[in-house]
Amino acid sequence: MLKENYETVEKKICAACERAGRKREEVTLIAVSKTKPVEMLKEVYELGERNFGENKVQELTAKFEELPGDIHWHMIGHLQRNKVKYLVDKVCLIHSVDSLRLACAISEEAQKHHCIVPVLLEVNVAGEESKFGISLEKAEELAEEAAKLPGIRIEGLMTIAPYVDDPEENRPVFRKLKELSVDIGRKNINNVHMTILSMGMTGDYEVAIEEGATMVRVGTGIFGERDYGKQQ
C-alpha cells in the first residue's frame, strides 16, 4: 500500500509541475509521518524518501533516535517555546514560526548549540481562528524583526489552508502567500530569503504546486488515515 501511495503522489506532483511549466526538482515532497510507527517510515525511507515532517516535538525526537541520520526532519506543527531546546540541533527546517517570542526562543537555543536554524514564517492567510499563524498584514514586520536575531535564517513562508472538499477553493490562499513572498523578497531585507513556499497538503497539494509551492506536506496521501490512538 505504501509503495503504491507514494508512487501515486509522485506522479501527481510530476503532473502538477508539468501543468505549471515547472521542473520536478523545484518541489520538495515532505512525508508527514505524525502518529505513524517507525516501521512505516522505514518503508517509505527505503523507497527513497528523505524528508519527513512531524507535528510534535516528542514524536520527532523519538523517531530521530531510531531512524537513519541522513533524514531531513521538518517541524511542521505548532511549536511551544519551552520545547525548542529539544529540537534545534535535529531539524533541517522549522515551518511554524508565528511570533517574535518564538523566534527569540529559537535564537537563544541556536546560539547555545552554535548552529543556524532555518525557519519559515507561518502565515494564517485565510484568517481562520482555529489556526495558528501571523496575519498577512503583520508578516513583513515579523520577518524584519526576526531576521535581526542571531542563529536564525528566514527561508520563506508556510501556510495551512482551510480544509475544503474542492481544492480549487484554496487556490486564492496559495496565490496570496506567493504574492506575499514576492513582496517581502523585493524589500531585500537582510537575512530574509523568500526561497521556500511550504503550502499544500494531501487534499490540495497539486493546486499548491500550480501556484508556486516549493514544499508540499503530504501525510494521509502516503501513509493512509491516521490512528490517533496509536501515537508514539
Side-chain angles (χ1 to χ4, degrees):
M1 179 198 81
L2 280 176
K3 185 173 187 290
E4 290 174 6
N5 287 352
Y6 187 76
E7 288 175 352
T8 297
V9 169
E10 183 59 40
K11 285 176 185 172
K12 288 182 176 179
I13 290 174
C14 288
C17 286
E18 194 171 331
R19 287 194 300 272
R22 302 177 66 192
K23 295 178 181 176
R24 171 63 186 89
E25 307 83 67
E26 293 178 35
V27 180
T28 299
L29 169 61
I30 299 169
V32 179
S33 45
K34 62 182 182 181
T35 80
K36 296 301 177 182
V38 165
E39 293 71 30
M40 289 182 82
L41 275 74
K42 284 180 179 175
E43 196 174 331
V44 174
Y45 176 90
E46 291 300 326
L47 294 172
E49 184 57 54
R50 292 296 180 271
N51 288 280
F52 289 86
E54 291 287 338
N55 275 51
K56 307 254 184 225
V57 173
Q58 188 175 355
E59 195 172 350
L60 188 153
T61 54
K63 289 173 178 174
F64 178 91
E65 299 299 335
E66 291 192 57
L67 286 156
D70 63 340
I71 286 177
H72 305 296
W73 292 100
H74 297 255
M75 179 61 192
I76 62 174
H78 179 63
L79 181 56
Q80 294 172 300
R81 298 193 306 282
N82 63 347
K83 299 280 180 70
V84 170
K85 59 188 173 187
Y86 304 113
L87 205 65
V88 293
D89 58 341
K90 295 179 176 66
V91 295
C92 72
L93 186 63
I94 295 174
H95 290 233
S96 47
V97 174
D98 59 358
S99 70
L100 187 58
R101 291 174 75 192
L102 176 57
C104 287
I106 294 170
S107 172
E108 286 175 19
E109 292 300 328
Q111 290 176 85
K112 289 178 190 174
H113 287 83
H114 306 290
C115 64
I116 303 292
V117 181
V119 304
L120 304 180
L121 304 183
E122 180 176 358
V123 184
N124 187 348
V125 177
E128 292 183 283
E129 289 185 15
S130 60
K131 299 262 176 71
F132 293 102
I134 193 89
S135 68
L136 277 167
E137 296 75 24
K138 294 182 179 178
E140 185 182 320
E141 181 185 350
L142 177 58
E144 289 176 345
E145 293 303 314
K148 298 172 185 174
L149 300 169
I152 278 184
R153 187 169 69 242
I154 298 174
E155 296 286 7
L157 306 174
M158 180 270 247
T159 196
I160 299 174
Y163 292 104
V164 292
D165 292 326
D166 179 3
E168 284 294 330
E169 291 181 36
N170 279 336
R171 193 177 291 277
V173 172
F174 301 139
R175 195 165 286 172
K176 282 179 183 175
L177 193 72
K178 172 66 175 178
E179 289 169 355
L180 178 64
S181 75
V182 171
D183 289 344
I184 293 176
R186 282 180 181 147
K187 304 281 185 180
N188 292 317
I189 304 165
N190 192 39
N191 198 31
V192 174
H193 315 274
M194 288 289 126
T195 53
I196 296 176
L197 269 185
S198 172
M199 59 188 193
M201 295 160 66
T202 293
D204 54 20
Y205 64 89
E206 292 169 84
V207 172
I209 290 169
E210 291 169 5
E211 292 299 332
T214 65
M215 287 186 174
V216 292
R217 312 179 302 273
V218 181
T220 305
I222 296 171
F223 294 100
E225 295 294 334
R226 297 187 187 92
D227 182 352
Y228 287 98
K230 293 183 179 178
Q231 288 198 39
Q232 290 261 124

